[in-house]
């Protein structure tokens, strides 16, 4: 029977499943009183970038009696192997079946991930519906923005958190521990305890009823539990922060240090659910941001910082904060990026700060093509704001600008669609320095009405209308220098269905999953035909949930969820939208009476800057140089006291010998480069950088190993300042590397002319012992007769295909210098090392012994020292 180790050798990107990342926390699950699996229903590359997951992982693992581990939706290849091998879905850190955990908590970030929840439960052997799970199964809970309308997935969960998880997660775990210690096994008793915690929704305590017109209302089972009030963090500076986040393997979508500088937005865009449900604005103080950045960079080794907020440019102290970040980190080649910006907030001063290291891209979201429609949606920017921002970006050296628009917004006309074309073409005509035109990347999506927004009553345009508008834009914007992308209208339809659906959709989702729907947010996995079959089979009226305009008096599926925003406010905003009237940002003017603030504990919190003699706008904090010196003074494992590179310092090339063993063999080469660079940063070792637009550390590797191959001795070369002592590098770097990577020695590198490559390489290949008893494979192992046939042959040709499809014919008799059989499942092979003619050991052995691909992929291949 296969185990997980066998499967890792057979799949793409196996490092997704290792769980050995820097800052991952492994506890003894047997010693933990409470075991929680934090589940993200999307690929590792998406989920490991989610900041909320990092926060919960940090909070829970700080508790000595709680163990929290991660689990992500497996890729299709891993899923297939798990099913065929009978292996359940496992957690990352300990590779324990998640069914063995006490609680599984899902992050619900996006409606198109709903079918992945079912896939993960299915792989774990856990029934979908809460009503079908007895006390022998884990409790299934959820949190995230999708819980603002929990009804489409409510039947799957025992409890759901509405609001900020920091405030509620430890209250829930404390209640669970008390319940467990009481000796109770009645799940309803625990759910009653949870329902008394602000922000916790227990779906089983509300019974759905449907009117003659199919409208859902929920009847509370208990008179003291009739709605769920959103829970929120009042002061970000007092909230827990993951200052040693896990550093993911592979290529996560956000491969950088993420520092949340603010939460909430009061700009009041009427289509934006996040802008409504995350109110009020709460800014983290710049002093705290700088402290957290210092600590987190030291713990991760990242070379990029992303300032995280719904609208980073609106942060009150953004200019002085950026100035301080540049003072501290520009010389260390640490870049700063903004994931979210508004036209008009990216000022020349901010651009100047950002480009000191390297230019990081940014997206501007005009949303609508005309001023009239921007007024309707309360997007308080003008075409002039957009043009000035893009002009300044091009002037400052940016070459690519990303623009985001929507089609199908309320009151939209053909003129508004044409307005998108017009504004893009105007921006396209702008010149960057040197007289060339910049590049414009345009993304378009269909507007999807969301709950708890002024547009929650609006209709979503039909599939046909969405296609017509998007295809028209695609045709009009087929121009050199403009790249046009769009979300497929069918995908938007499913998102719209699940965004405003009711509890009847749980059965629809279960049927869709069983038909094969999963990873619906991924274009190559989305199967609309299966959704159509599902609608037919479940007799689902899609238009009832999407294109139908709701009456403002009708009950809504999410009426029992109290986000703090009043319905009266949302209705007023709808009326102002129809009248094309603005609502000002309350942080800069009068209160708009949205209902969120009580102005005692719940209120806007913004930072303040003051003018000093040293700068026009200084943060109220201690001197930056003093702070940096203090932080460096307490760092451990530093090779130098001052790790900031000085341009005038002479360069010293060093040679580092390392081994790559065990599961480290699953690191691809580019992955390995990142791992080493960040380990070097964490160790406090200064590096020399290249010059130019995008400075890169001067690091080089000898002959990168293919994925899945181990080695006793590999070489890398690093340029460092001459003050670095090679003897100290080994110890400092070994303390920062993941399992399987070991620095063996470090010395001053010989001149390049004296770095001779070996003329041959020796490899040990070991097949899994279980293949000896496999009737289909046993006769195909390292057979002496096959080796003799190869030895006696005058030639044995092998055809190699490179990534570009070029064929090279190689005579293995010339490439193989020696083969020694050390057992029926093990041999050592010596291969000639000649540029352009080198044969991989697995390819040679496969050919000589006629081994199946599945066998050779699971072989252990170790490069020995010559």
């Amino acid at each position: 029977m296969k185990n997980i180790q066998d499967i890792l050798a057979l799949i793409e990107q196996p490092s997704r499943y290792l769980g050995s990342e820097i800052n991952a926390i492994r506890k003894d699950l047997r010693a933990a009183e409470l075991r929680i699996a934090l589940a993200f229903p999307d690929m590792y590359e998406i989920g490991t970038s989610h900041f909320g997951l990092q926060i919960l992982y940090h909070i829970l693992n700080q508790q000595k009696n709680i163990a929290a581990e991660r689990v992500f939706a497996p890729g299709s290849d891993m899923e297939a192997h798990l099913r065929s091998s009978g292996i359940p879905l496992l957690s990352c850190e300990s590779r324990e079946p998640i069914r063995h955990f006490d609680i599984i908590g899902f992050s619900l970030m996006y409606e198109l991930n709903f079918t992945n929840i079912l896939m993960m439960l299915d792989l774990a052997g856990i029934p979908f519906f809460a009503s079908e799970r007895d006390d022998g199964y884990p409790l299934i809970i959820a949190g995230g923005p999708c819980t603002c309308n929990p009804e489409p997935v409510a039947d799957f969960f025992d409890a759901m958190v509405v609001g900020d998880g920091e405030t509620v997660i430890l209250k829930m775990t404390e209640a669970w521990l008390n319940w467990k210690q009481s000796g109770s096994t009645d799940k309803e008793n625990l759910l009653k305890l949870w329902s008394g915690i602000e922000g916790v929704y227990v779906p089983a305590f509300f019974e759905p009823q449907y009117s003659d017109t199919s409208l859902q209302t929920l009847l509370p089972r208990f008179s003291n539990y009739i709605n769920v009030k959103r829970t929120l963090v009042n002061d970000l500076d007092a909230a827990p922060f993951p200052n040693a986040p896990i550093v993911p393997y592979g290529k996560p979508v956000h491969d950088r240090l993420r520092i949340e500088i603010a939460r909430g937005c009061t700009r009041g865009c009427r289509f934006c659910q996040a802008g409504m449900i995350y109110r009020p604005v709460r800014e983290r103080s710049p002093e705290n941001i700088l402290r957290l950045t210092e600590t987190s960079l030291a713990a991760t080794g990242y070379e990029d910082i992303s300032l995280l907020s719904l609208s980073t440019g609106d942060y009150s102290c953004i200019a002085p904060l950026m100035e301080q970040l540049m003072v501290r980190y520009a010389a260390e080649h640490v870049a700063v990026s903004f994931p979210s910006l508004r036209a008009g907030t990216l000022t020349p001063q901010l651009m100047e700060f950002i480009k000191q290291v390297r230019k990081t891209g940014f997206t501007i979201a005009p949303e609508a093509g005309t001023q009239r429609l921007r007024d309707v949606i309360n997007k308080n920017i003008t075409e002039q704001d957009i043009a000035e921002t893009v002009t300044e970006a091009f002037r400052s050296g940016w070459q690519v600008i990303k623009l985001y628009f929507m089609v199908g917004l309320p009151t939209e006309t053909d003129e508004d669609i044409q307005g998108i074309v017009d504004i893009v073409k105007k921006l396209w005509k702008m010149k960057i320095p040197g007289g060339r035109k910049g590049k414009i990347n345009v993304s378009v999506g269909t507007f999807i009405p969301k709950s708890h927004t002024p547009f929650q009553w609006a209709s979503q345009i039909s599939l046909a209308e969405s296609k017509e508008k998007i295809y028209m834009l695609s045709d009009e914007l087929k121009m050199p220098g403009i790249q046009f992308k769009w979300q497929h209208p069918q995908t938007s339809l499913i998102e719209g269905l699940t965004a405003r659906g009711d509890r009847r959709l749980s059965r629809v989702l279960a049927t869709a999953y069983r038909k094969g729907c999963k990873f619906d947010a991924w274009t190559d996995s989305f199967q609309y035909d299966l959704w159509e079959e599902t609608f037919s089979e479940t007799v689902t009226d899609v238009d009832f949930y999407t294109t139908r305009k709701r009456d403002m008096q009708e009950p809504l599926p999410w009426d029992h969820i109290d986000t703090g925003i009043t319905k009266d406010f949302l209705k007023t905003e709808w009326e102002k939208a129809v009248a094309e009237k603005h609502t000002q940002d309350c942080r800069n003017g009068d209160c708009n009476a949205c209902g969120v603030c009580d102005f005692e504990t719940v209120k806007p919190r913004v930072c303040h800057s003051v003018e000093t003699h040293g700068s026009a706008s200084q943060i109220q904090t201690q001197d930056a140089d003093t702070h940096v010196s203090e932080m460096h003074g307490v760092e451990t494992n530093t090779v130098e006291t001052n790790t900031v590179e000085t341009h005038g310092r002479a360069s010293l090339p060093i040679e580092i010998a390392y081994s790559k063993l065990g599961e480290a063999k699953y690191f691809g080469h580019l992955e390995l480069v990142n791992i080493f660079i960040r380990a070097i940063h964490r160790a406090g070792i200064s590096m020399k950088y290249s010059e130019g637009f995008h400075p890169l550390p001067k690091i080089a590797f000898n002959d990168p190993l293919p994925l899945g191959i181990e080695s006793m001795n590999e070489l890398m070369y690093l340029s460092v300042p001459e003050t670095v002592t090679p003897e100290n590098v080994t110890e400092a770097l070994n303390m920062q590397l993941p399992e399987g990577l070991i620095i063996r020695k470090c010395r001053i590198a010989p001149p390049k002319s004296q770095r001779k490559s070996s003329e041959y390489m020796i490899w040990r290949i070991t097949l899994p012992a279980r293949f000896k008893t496999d009737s289909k494979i046993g006769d195909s192992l390292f057979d002496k007769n096959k080796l003799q046939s190869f030895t006696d042959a005058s030639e044995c040709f092998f055809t190699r295909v490179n990534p570009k499809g070029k064929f090279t014919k190689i005579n293995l008799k010339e490439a193989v210098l020696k083969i020694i059989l050390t057992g029926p499942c093990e041999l050592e092979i010596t291969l000639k090392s000649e540029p352009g003619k080198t044969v991989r050991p697995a390819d040679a052995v496969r050919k000589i012994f006629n081994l199946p691909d599945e066998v050779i992929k699971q072989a252990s291949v170790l490069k020995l020292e010559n």
Side-chain angles (χ1 to χ4, degrees):
M1 179 179 176
K2 291 180 185 175
N3 57 37
I4 194 66
Q5 286 287 349
D6 299 324
I7 292 176
L8 290 175
L10 299 172
I11 59 175
E12 295 180 357
Q13 300 179 12
S15 63
R16 290 170 172 166
Y17 309 101
L18 298 183
S20 60
E21 305 98 321
I22 295 298
N23 298 328
I25 298 171
R26 291 183 175 181
K27 293 185 176 182
D28 183 354
L29 294 182
R30 294 169 299 179
E33 293 181 50
L34 172 57
R35 298 167 297 178
I36 300 179
L38 297 174
F40 197 94
D42 209 330
M43 300 292 284
Y44 172 89
E45 290 78 5
I46 307 295
T48 199
S49 297
H50 175 45
F51 190 66
L53 189 73
Q54 295 174 7
I55 292 174
L56 295 176
Y57 188 82
H58 167 75
I59 292 172
L60 291 167
N61 280 313
Q62 281 192 320
Q63 313 305 309
K64 291 183 179 180
N65 58 344
I66 298 175
E69 300 194 352
R70 300 160 298 145
V71 61
F72 304 96
S76 58
D77 54 351
M78 173 60 96
E79 180 196 356
H81 283 293
L82 289 175
R83 292 188 187 280
S84 64
S85 303
I87 299 174
L89 186 61
L90 309 175
S91 65
C92 290
E93 284 79 358
S94 65
R95 296 180 187 165
E96 182 76 9
I98 65 170
R99 181 175 171 174
H100 295 170
F101 284 72
D102 302 301
I103 298 173
I104 301 174
F106 281 91
S107 295
L108 305 186
M109 304 305 298
Y110 190 25
E111 292 88 353
L112 292 177
N113 288 338
F114 285 171
T115 51
N116 288 355
I117 298 168
L118 304 182
M119 184 253 283
M120 295 174 74
L121 292 175
D122 190 20
L123 286 171
I126 298 173
F128 297 163
F129 293 92
S131 60
E132 298 173 358
R133 296 191 294 265
D134 60 25
D135 296 337
Y137 292 102
L139 289 147
I140 311 299
I141 66 175
C146 289
T147 62
C148 285
N149 177 24
E151 292 310 291
V153 290
D155 283 342
F156 303 141
F157 293 100
D158 295 299
M160 307 176 83
V161 174
V162 180
D164 296 332
E166 300 102 315
T167 64
V168 69
I169 188 64
L170 291 184
K171 293 178 182 178
M172 293 183 72
T173 58
E174 182 182 5
W176 186 95
L177 290 167
N178 292 335
W179 169 74
K180 199 70 174 178
Q181 289 166 5
S182 72
S184 174
T185 57
D186 186 349
K187 183 165 69 172
E188 181 154 319
N189 288 341
L190 173 63
L191 296 181
K192 286 179 179 178
L193 293 174
W194 277 355
S195 69
I197 300 171
E198 182 179 80
V200 177
Y201 172 47
V202 178
F205 290 176
F206 291 82
E207 296 288 346
Q209 290 193 344
Y210 301 95
S211 68
D212 293 339
T213 54
S214 293
L215 299 177
Q216 173 182 291
T217 55
L218 292 175
L219 295 182
R221 284 177 52 195
F222 304 103
S223 60
N224 62 344
Y225 186 58
I226 61 174
N227 61 17
V228 179
K229 183 177 177 60
R230 175 175 68 106
T231 183
L232 59 87
V233 171
N234 295 317
D235 183 358
L236 287 186
D237 284 328
F241 186 92
N243 55 9
I246 290 172
V247 182
Y249 295 140
K251 295 181 179 180
V253 292
H254 298 297
D255 195 15
R256 58 187 68 91
L257 176 63
R258 308 184 78 199
I259 300 291
E260 184 190 33
I261 65 172
R263 196 174 297 181
C265 177
T266 47
R267 287 279 187 169
C269 297
R270 292 172 178 132
F271 60 86
C272 181
Q273 187 183 59
M276 297 293 166
I277 66 173
Y278 288 121
R279 294 184 177 206
V281 170
R282 291 147 289 160
E283 295 183 346
R284 190 169 263 118
S285 70
E287 297 91 341
N288 196 19
I289 291 170
L290 292 171
R291 283 193 293 269
L292 293 171
T293 301
E294 188 88 24
T295 305
S296 301
L297 282 176
T300 60
Y302 278 122
E303 53 285 312
D304 291 275
I305 303 168
S306 179
L307 300 181
L308 190 64
S309 171
L310 287 176
S311 183
T312 303
D314 286 333
Y315 179 72
S316 302
C317 294
I318 190 63
L321 175 63
M322 282 296 301
E323 184 175 7
Q324 291 292 317
L325 289 172
M326 290 297 100
V327 166
R328 295 171 185 228
Y329 302 117
E332 297 180 35
H333 299 90
V334 175
V336 181
S337 64
F338 295 172
S340 54
L341 290 165
R342 290 176 62 92
T345 62
L346 190 63
T347 63
Q349 183 185 19
L350 289 181
M351 290 182 179
E352 195 61 35
F353 287 143
I354 296 171
K355 73 175 185 177
Q356 284 183 31
V357 179
R358 55 182 175 271
K359 299 174 183 66
T360 50
F362 60 89
T363 300
I364 299 174
E367 313 290 0
T370 64
Q371 192 59 50
R372 184 201 70 82
L373 193 52
R374 285 193 292 275
D375 291 344
V376 168
I377 65 176
N378 206 45
K379 189 78 175 183
N380 294 325
I381 57 172
T382 65
E383 188 169 320
Q384 182 178 350
D385 293 330
I386 299 166
E388 288 177 353
T389 300
V390 173
T391 298
E392 187 58 44
F394 283 149
R395 185 183 297 125
S396 299
W398 273 267
Q399 299 180 24
V400 180
I401 304 295
K402 300 176 183 178
L403 302 173
Y404 180 78
F405 297 93
M406 286 187 285
V407 299
L409 288 162
T411 79
E412 182 183 78
T413 65
D414 291 343
E415 288 74 20
D416 298 312
I417 297 297
Q418 183 59 43
I420 296 176
V421 176
D422 295 341
I423 195 170
V424 171
K425 288 183 176 179
K426 287 178 184 177
L427 299 176
W428 173 74
K429 291 177 181 178
M430 293 180 179
K431 301 291 181 67
I432 61 176
R436 295 182 294 110
K437 292 180 180 178
K439 293 182 179 178
I440 306 289
N441 291 348
V442 180
S443 293
V444 174
T446 302
F447 164 66
I448 298 166
K450 294 291 178 87
S451 62
H452 304 286
T453 70
F455 292 165
Q456 66 181 358
W457 295 281
S459 63
Q460 181 173 336
I461 61 173
S462 68
L463 190 59
E465 289 177 283
S466 179
K467 289 180 179 179
E468 180 183 358
K469 294 173 188 287
I470 288 175
Y471 296 160
M472 173 268 188
L473 290 171
S474 177
D475 291 340
E476 289 286 335
L477 294 175
K478 284 182 179 177
M479 303 169 66
I482 296 178
Q483 184 180 46
F484 184 81
K485 294 182 178 179
W486 66 94
Q487 185 182 51
H488 291 287
Q490 294 94 331
T491 306
S492 299
L493 182 70
I494 302 303
E495 183 181 348
L497 169 70
T498 47
R500 292 190 295 171
D502 55 32
R503 211 173 277 197
R504 287 170 291 194
L505 288 190
S506 296
R507 300 285 172 181
V508 176
L509 288 164
T511 301
Y513 167 71
R514 292 189 180 103
K515 286 184 174 295
C517 295
K518 55 193 169 186
F519 288 107
D520 295 303
W522 296 71
T523 302
D524 56 353
S525 299
F526 183 68
Q527 301 182 75
Y528 185 64
D529 58 325
L530 298 182
W531 281 101
E532 288 182 305
E533 290 179 17
T534 298
F535 300 147
S536 177
E537 185 174 313
T538 58
V539 195
T540 301
D541 182 358
V542 177
D543 290 340
F544 176 81
Y545 296 103
T546 57
T547 60
R548 180 179 67 88
K549 184 177 180 180
R550 285 144 174 82
D551 188 286
M552 285 197 173
Q553 305 307 316
E554 74 176 62
L556 299 172
W558 51 89
D559 277 345
H560 58 303
I561 303 298
D562 179 9
T563 64
I565 302 285
T566 67
K567 259 193 178 182
D568 285 342
F569 172 76
L570 297 178
K571 289 177 179 178
T572 299
E573 283 298 294
W574 170 258
E575 292 165 358
K576 292 175 74 173
V578 175
E580 300 171 15
K581 291 183 178 180
H582 289 300
T583 296
Q584 294 300 315
D585 187 339
C586 66
R587 86 170 87 189
N588 301 319
D590 296 333
C591 173
N592 293 317
C594 70
V596 167
C597 297
D598 61 16
F599 299 102
E600 293 180 3
T601 57
V602 182
K603 58 186 177 180
R605 294 176 184 266
V606 297
C607 72
H608 300 283
S609 59
V610 296
E611 287 197 12
T612 72
H613 64 280
S615 171
S617 182
Q618 294 276 340
I619 294 172
Q620 298 182 40
T621 184
Q622 59 183 305
D623 178 75
D625 293 331
T626 302
H627 186 67
V628 171
S629 297
E630 290 176 356
M631 290 305 297
H632 282 181
V634 300
E635 281 185 0
T636 58
N637 308 325
T638 56
V639 176
E640 300 177 87
T641 303
N642 178 9
T643 63
V644 179
E645 179 201 10
T646 303
H647 285 291
R649 192 178 297 168
S651 178
L652 176 70
I654 59 174
E655 179 185 80
I656 299 173
Y658 66 95
S659 58
K660 184 184 180 187
L661 303 172
E663 291 189 350
K665 67 184 178 181
Y666 295 122
F667 300 141
H669 179 62
L670 294 179
E671 198 170 2
L672 189 70
V673 172
N674 272 337
I675 288 171
F676 269 112
I677 288 174
R678 288 166 183 171
I680 291 166
H681 285 313
R682 290 191 299 275
I685 303 170
S686 291
M687 292 183 284
K688 286 290 186 177
Y689 282 75
S690 63
E691 302 293 334
F693 172 72
H694 192 165
L696 296 172
K698 292 185 176 181
I699 185 170
F701 291 76
N702 264 11
D703 301 324
L705 289 173
L707 187 71
I709 291 183
E710 300 173 84
S711 175
M712 294 296 297
N713 191 55
E714 294 296 300
L715 295 177
M716 59 180 282
Y717 297 91
L718 183 66
S719 291
V720 298
E722 61 180 355
T723 52
V724 171
T725 305
E727 291 78 13
N728 293 338
V729 169
T730 301
E731 181 180 0
L733 203 49
N734 271 331
M735 296 182 71
Q736 301 298 334
L737 290 171
E739 296 174 23
L741 293 176
I742 302 173
I743 305 300
R744 304 181 65 202
K745 60 183 176 181
C746 177
R747 63 170 184 164
I748 296 175
K752 288 185 179 181
S753 60
Q754 298 178 21
R755 300 177 193 174
K756 295 183 179 179
S757 299
S758 175
E759 296 180 354
Y760 62 91
M761 295 182 186
I762 304 173
W763 307 85
R764 178 182 298 148
I765 301 180
T766 307
L767 301 177
R770 63 183 176 83
F771 284 137
K772 287 192 295 184
T773 58
D774 191 319
S775 59
K776 297 180 181 178
I777 300 173
D779 294 337
S780 301
L781 298 181
F782 297 147
D783 183 82
K784 293 181 180 179
N785 294 327
K786 291 179 180 177
L787 177 57
Q788 189 62 50
S789 297
F790 172 74
T791 303
D792 295 341
S794 59
E795 57 185 23
C796 179
F797 286 100
F798 160 74
T799 301
R800 185 178 63 197
V801 184
N802 70 11
K804 295 182 179 180
K806 182 180 178 181
F807 291 83
T808 302
K809 200 172 184 180
I810 298 174
N811 187 356
L812 290 181
K813 293 291 292 184
E814 298 175 358
V816 178
L817 301 180
K818 184 192 298 185
I819 298 181
I820 301 174
L821 293 182
T822 56
C825 293
E826 185 177 275
L827 61 75
E828 289 184 6
I829 182 170
T830 303
L831 295 170
K832 186 183 294 185
S833 180
E834 185 177 348
K837 296 183 179 180
T838 301
V839 176
R840 291 184 178 182
D843 291 334
V845 170
R846 180 191 289 108
K847 177 69 175 179
I848 293 168
F849 293 96
N850 192 30
L851 290 173
D853 282 347
E854 183 181 359
V855 172
I856 204 66
K857 283 181 179 179
Q858 294 177 72
S860 169
V861 181
L862 173 64
K863 180 183 174 184
L864 304 174
E865 289 190 75
N866 290 5

